[in-house]
Amino acid sequence: MNLKDLINRATVSAKNGARRLRTLQVQLLGGDIRESVEHFEPYGFTSEPHVGAEAIGLALGGDRDQTLAVVVADRRYRPTDLKDGEVCVFDDLGRKVYLSRNGIRVEGVSSPVTVKTSASVTVDAPLTKCTGNLEVGGNIVAQGDIKDKGGDYSMAGMRSIYNGHTHNGGSSPDQKM
């Protein structure tokens, strides 16, 4: 038995992702079609390849009837602009989670990005920026002060001015802000 009997290039021609371990129909070099080839993926990662994606098939013991797919790649969609050491999870629409040398980027392209949990989300950073509008469906509780773009005073500063003002020289307002 030689190495060419064990390892083979393949092209995905059909797939079944509804099973616990996806199966593929692949065409090996030489036009050999293999059905129900199990596709092994790393724990915690899964994807649904397109027909036409490429695979590496391993024939157990050199028996092509016992072929497994250990890697499926698709050069049509793979980002090619990564620097040494960078990592990118990507799809065919250009969406990415990119661990770059300049930081971590989540790129939704024209798709919404949702963070969903029944617990809390914590952003632990010295500064958090939002370049668009912010819509909040619940309360906003600030441990620090709040100041708007055009105001010279923060909310605490405005409250202090309001609470200290008087009516025509009389006493300060009955209801404090």
Side-chain angles (χ1 to χ4, degrees), residues 32-48:
D32 186 8
I33 305 259
R34 293 289 147 191
E35 304 281 344
S36 299
V37 172
E38 292 181 317
H39 174 206
F40 285 79
E41 299 175 293
Y43 173 78
F45 295 90
T46 191
S47 63
E48 194 61 42

Side-chain angles (χ1 to χ4, degrees), residues 28-77:
L28 302 174
L29 288 177
D32 186 8
I33 305 259
R34 293 289 147 191
E35 304 281 344
S36 299
V37 172
E38 292 181 317
H39 174 206
F40 285 79
E41 299 175 293
Y43 173 78
F45 295 90
T46 191
S47 63
E48 194 61 42
H50 284 284
V51 168
E54 299 165 78
I56 298 294
L58 297 181
L60 300 178
D63 181 359
R64 284 187 168 200
D65 287 334
Q66 298 295 318
T67 297
L68 305 173
V70 292
V71 175
V72 175
D74 202 324
R75 66 180 76 213
R76 297 172 294 186
Y77 307 108

Side-chain angles (χ1 to χ4, degrees), residues 9 33 82 90 92 144:
R9 279 184 173 267
I33 305 259
L82 276 63
F90 63 94
D92 61 330

Side-chain angles (χ1 to χ4, degrees), residues 129-150:
K129 293 183 179 185
C130 178
T131 59
N133 295 328
L134 179 64
E135 184 176 312
V136 179
N139 298 323
I140 297 176
V141 178
Q143 300 298 317
D145 216 341
I146 299 174
K147 186 176 180 181
D148 70 7
K149 177 183 175 188

Side-chain angles (χ1 to χ4, degrees), residues 153-174:
Y153 299 102
S154 66
M155 287 184 74
M158 289 186 294
R159 187 179 305 107
S160 175
I161 291 170
Y162 174 82
N163 290 343
H165 88 274
T166 61
H167 295 251
N168 296 325
S171 64
S172 63
D174 293 336

